[in-house]
Amino acid sequence: MTHYIPEGLPDRIRHFIDGEFVDSVGGETFDVLDPVSNETYVQAAAGQRADIDLAVAAAKRAFDEGPWPRMLPRQRSRVLHRIADLVEARDARLAELETFDTGLPITQALGQAQRAAENFRFFADLIVAQRDDTYKVPGRQVNYVNRKPIGVAGLITPWNTPFMLESWKLAPALATGNTVVLKPAEFTPLSASLWAEIFREAGVPDGVFNLVNGLGEEAGDALVKHPDVPLISFTGESRTGQIIFGNAAPFLKGLSMELGGKSPAVVFADADLDSALDATVFGVFSLNGERCTAGSRVLVERSIYDDFVARYAERAKNIVVGDPHDPKTEVGALVHPEHYDKVMSYVEIGKTEGRLVAGGGRPDGLETGNYVAPTVFADVSPDARIFQEEIFGPVVAITPFDTDEEALELANNTRYGLAAYIWTNNLKRAHNFAQSVEAGMVWLNSNNVRDLRTPFGGVKASGLGHEGGYRSIDFYTDQQAVHITLNEAHSPRFGAK
Ligand code: NAD
């Protein structure tokens, strides 16, 4: 296979602080690999505490003295729409770079670039439509909410769909008038630099958007512990979320945590089984299985189990794995050799825990690169590691159930609670199940198609707080209550004679 390398790759990936691309103060760098050759294609600046200090100082200055927090919502909205226009106009280039850096199939990377534009458009619209509460106590008091941006928001993002997930935080943080320091994932820093050029062109003032690349334990840690950063929005593993939660505690920071998942897809015998098959196959193998909301545990009613497993395995075997830049590819290369090793170790564990019915290793003909054949284990018991632990790759566990109660017990039998997918044509069963399943988001007879107005977030080990729609606006703003007396101020007259 020829190795596709995009033209015009940067000679170095730098930070972007106060409107300038800069190297680390101390000159530190780290290697960035592409997942098809696993060779270093560029060095990125490795941010340290000194770089975070500079970025936070620039963001604080832009917040305290600059125009951004003081603009009318309509003015900021126009800038956000220009950002969306620029992202849309560059979607093919964004997808090309994202695919090269992450190994995501190009058609799916393109969809993610377009979703990033949509995130900006959505929040651009939301802030001009924003209204706040006013309450009247007749003849006595009027109370209103004075909504204010909070300050410098620290945004820490993972490597799966990096550009889209960055937009998910950047759009509401900026729409509401905050300034930001973004620390993207170290496996995939390439596309984040494009924000700097896009924001500059769209008219975002210097210092409002700052980007510091680097390792989580260095740049990420310094951002979390910086006293001038009152808010941290984090997406990543549950274990990292726990560490950040602890490190932010002494500062009592505002935290939003979007963490890991091991979501169930439950297929009842009365479902439209063709649709259920399409959705449950797509649900775990799209985005290379590197998807927080992947339906990576498929629970199937026993009366249809054998047939469903056979059809599922057949489909998995036919999935096109290969060059991420080829539009025919359905599953590309996993992001990094370290992650590849982790996923492959679960494939080996699975062989001792379940019945392998598809995949189980490297696909034929792909001798190098982080390729994993779509892998299906059937008859997986709930105490198996591949049933309990997030694999974050193209690996699925299928388990039979006999009754609704058993299906619910299996669905809830993990520490995670991000998404759940339920397939049934029985209306009562669908709603009762949806309301009892421990998941932040439920899809009934649907693949993961999300309305941007709805809450996004997980329960249990999958997260803390909800973003999405006006909940993101709430996270990135303070709602100050202002009370006005309309009549006599009725105060008890302490000390009066
Ligand atoms: P990760 O937790 O390893 O890293 C995420 C980010 O945190 C990176 O930028 C990393 O550098 C940084 N980081 C690491 N240690 C840190 C520390 N001590 N202090 C501050 N920052 C630190 O996650 P990942 O491997 O990049 O991403 C995959 C995980 O993300 C999966 O668990 C997946 O389910 C989860 N995810 C969740 C959602 C969601 O919305 N719930 C969405 C996408 C991904």
Side-chain angles (χ1 to χ4, degrees), residues 156-161 165 168 183-187 214-222 224 234-241 243-244 247 257-261 290-293 339 342 390 392 416 418 441 456-458 462:
I156 303 178
T157 49
W159 48 257
N160 66 319
T161 64
L165 282 173
W168 169 247
K183 206 303 278 174
E186 54 267 46
F187 282 176
L215 309 187
E217 300 72 25
E218 296 173 357
D221 185 69
V224 169
F234 169 75
T235 300
E237 285 185 19
S238 301
R239 177 71 200 120
T240 316
I243 294 169
I244 291 178
N247 288 339
M257 300 258 165
E258 306 287 3
L259 309 175
E290 297 162 325
R291 177 174 200 148
C292 56
T293 50
H339 184 59
K342 174 187 151 185
E390 185 182 45
F392 220 54
Y416 295 107
L418 192 55
M441 295 164 287
F456 186 102
S462 289

Side-chain angles (χ1 to χ4, degrees), residues 445-462:
N445 296 331
S446 170
N447 158 36
N448 179 336
V449 179
R450 198 177 147 261
D451 179 331
L452 289 179
R453 293 169 296 183
T454 58
F456 186 102
V459 297
K460 303 197 308 193
S462 289

Side-chain angles (χ1 to χ4, degrees), residues 135-143 486:
Y135 304 96
K136 181 175 79 170
V137 184
R140 295 193 186 173
Q141 218 183 36
V142 170
N143 311 301
L486 293 178

Side-chain angles (χ1 to χ4, degrees), residues 212-359:
V212 178
N213 289 292
L215 309 187
E217 300 72 25
E218 296 173 357
D221 185 69
L223 186 56
V224 169
K225 293 177 180 164
H226 200 295
D228 290 335
V229 179
L231 279 185
I232 298 287
S233 177
F234 169 75
T235 300
E237 285 185 19
S238 301
R239 177 71 200 120
T240 316
Q242 288 175 313
I243 294 169
I244 291 178
F245 196 90
N247 288 339
F251 303 92
L252 297 172
K253 296 193 180 205
L255 290 178
S256 170
M257 300 258 165
E258 306 287 3
L259 309 175
K262 189 77 182 179
S263 300
V266 186
V267 184
F268 288 94
D270 65 6
D272 172 346
L273 294 178
D274 291 339
S275 298
L277 183 67
D278 288 345
T280 52
V281 169
F282 180 80
V284 73
F285 297 119
S286 53
L287 304 177
N288 296 345
E290 297 162 325
R291 177 174 200 148
C292 56
T293 50
S296 51
R297 294 181 296 139
V298 181
L299 311 176
V300 184
E301 193 164 353
R302 192 163 322 259
S303 60
I304 55 161
Y305 182 77
D306 289 341
D307 185 47
F308 194 86
V309 168
R311 291 175 71 197
Y312 197 101
E314 194 55 34
R315 289 285 285 274
K317 285 179 196 160
N318 288 334
I319 287 175
V320 181
V321 185
D323 178 1
H325 291 277
D326 184 336
K328 289 196 292 299
T329 293
E330 293 170 323
V331 170
L334 300 194
V335 68
H336 192 275
E338 269 173 33
H339 184 59
Y340 175 83
D341 289 345
K342 174 187 151 185
V343 172
M344 279 302 200
S345 77
Y346 277 107
V347 169
E348 292 311 311
I349 292 167
K351 289 176 185 170
T352 67
E353 292 183 328
R355 175 166 60 94
L356 180 69
V357 292

Side-chain angles (χ1 to χ4, degrees), residues 68 75-91 94 113-114 116-121 124 163 167 170-171 174-175 194-205 208-209:
W68 190 251
Q75 291 174 307
R76 278 202 302 271
S77 171
R78 283 206 181 96
V79 176
L80 263 62
H81 273 299
R82 282 203 291 274
I83 293 169
D85 291 341
L86 288 163
V87 171
E88 269 167 9
R90 287 172 203 182
D91 61 356
L94 276 164
Q114 290 158 354
E118 189 53 32
N119 278 333
F120 271 90
R121 227 174 266 302
F163 193 78
S167 76
L170 287 166
L174 295 175
L194 300 180
W195 287 119
E197 290 155 24
I198 289 169
F199 288 162
R200 208 188 243 167
E201 241 176 283
V204 176
V208 171
F209 165 76

